[in-house]
Amino acid sequence: WDKEPCGKEVTVSTKLYKDAKDFYESVDESLHDDTVMYEVYSVSSQSEPGKLNWGLTVMHPVKVNGECNMTRGHFHENMDCEEYYWCSKGTGLLMLMDEEGKCWCEKMYEGSLHHIRSDWAHRLINTGDTYLKVVACWPADAGHDYARIEHSGFTYRVYCEGKDIIVKERRTNE
Ligand code: PA5
Ligand code: NI
């Protein structure tokens, strides 16, 4: 990855397990701190209104004590900015949450297209045993509000037990 035909530079950021531990219900001692959870390839150097950013998230098929690998998840700082996600490989869930804390999921599979309303928080979850690859396009002035998710997070957790996907409500004392 260097310069693409459009002249933009694609950069990659890597999320390791040590920086993702807090997302999960419990710590998995069998995972190395440097286990790669996901990579985001992006062209996100722009910030002026009217411009677009683009990204590809590659989620590794990792489980944390049975809990499926997920992105940190965020609202957009600019609540007027919506986003599209398009799944190019794998299977997963797109977890969404509105401002009242109502939480639900859309199934992701090769070719599924997802429209994320500007006031919805969003998180990717890899429920499969292969890579989940998702292409995203969002307005350059959207920004990422992670603090709001840390304060009042998604209300469900997703686990894999054999071939079954189990969705559990989060404990209220978390
Ligand atoms: O813009 C997006 O919503 C995506 O590109 C995400 O940033 C990406 O999937 C990584 O998720 P997060 O930023 O919540 O760690
Ligand atoms: Ni986003």
Side-chain angles (χ1 to χ4, degrees), residues 57-91:
T57 302
V58 178
M59 310 232 22
H60 292 227
V62 182
K63 307 283 180 288
V64 179
N65 289 327
E67 197 171 353
C68 300
N69 185 11
M70 58 181 138
T71 56
R72 188 173 181 189
H74 57 270
F75 281 97
H76 288 158
E77 254 170 82
N78 180 342
M79 297 287 283
D80 291 328
C81 291
E82 53 185 27
E83 184 162 7
Y84 275 107
Y85 275 2
W86 181 72
C87 178
S88 71
K89 277 273 176 241
T91 50

Side-chain angles (χ1 to χ4, degrees), residues 30-123:
S30 70
L31 287 177
H32 196 273
D33 269 0
D34 291 332
T35 302
V36 175
M37 305 302 281
Y38 59 97
E39 290 118 347
V40 184
Y41 298 85
S42 65
V43 176
S44 55
S45 50
Q46 314 193 91
S47 58
E48 310 96 87
K51 306 274 186 192
L52 289 175
N53 285 334
W54 172 95
L56 164 69
T57 302
V58 178
M59 310 232 22
H60 292 227
V62 182
K63 307 283 180 288
V64 179
N65 289 327
E67 197 171 353
C68 300
N69 185 11
M70 58 181 138
T71 56
R72 188 173 181 189
H74 57 270
F75 281 97
H76 288 158
E77 254 170 82
N78 180 342
M79 297 287 283
D80 291 328
C81 291
E82 53 185 27
E83 184 162 7
Y84 275 107
Y85 275 2
W86 181 72
C87 178
S88 71
K89 277 273 176 241
T91 50
L93 293 172
L94 169 59
M95 187 171 280
L96 297 162
M97 184 173 70
D98 68 17
E99 288 194 272
E100 278 73 52
K102 186 183 146 229
C103 195
W104 70 101
C105 288
E106 293 180 4
K107 279 190 183 165
M108 302 190 102
Y109 48 87
E110 203 170 310
S112 64
L113 179 66
H114 306 264
H115 177 250
I116 300 165
R117 254 176 53 170
S118 57
D119 54 347
W120 289 349
H122 39 290
R123 160 177 276 170

Side-chain angles (χ1 to χ4, degrees), residues 140-159:
D141 57 337
H144 295 80
D145 183 352
Y146 295 109
R148 195 159 162 187
I149 291 300
E150 263 137 49
H151 183 252
S152 44
F154 293 91
T155 47
Y156 290 99
R157 292 190 171 281
V158 179
Y159 302 81

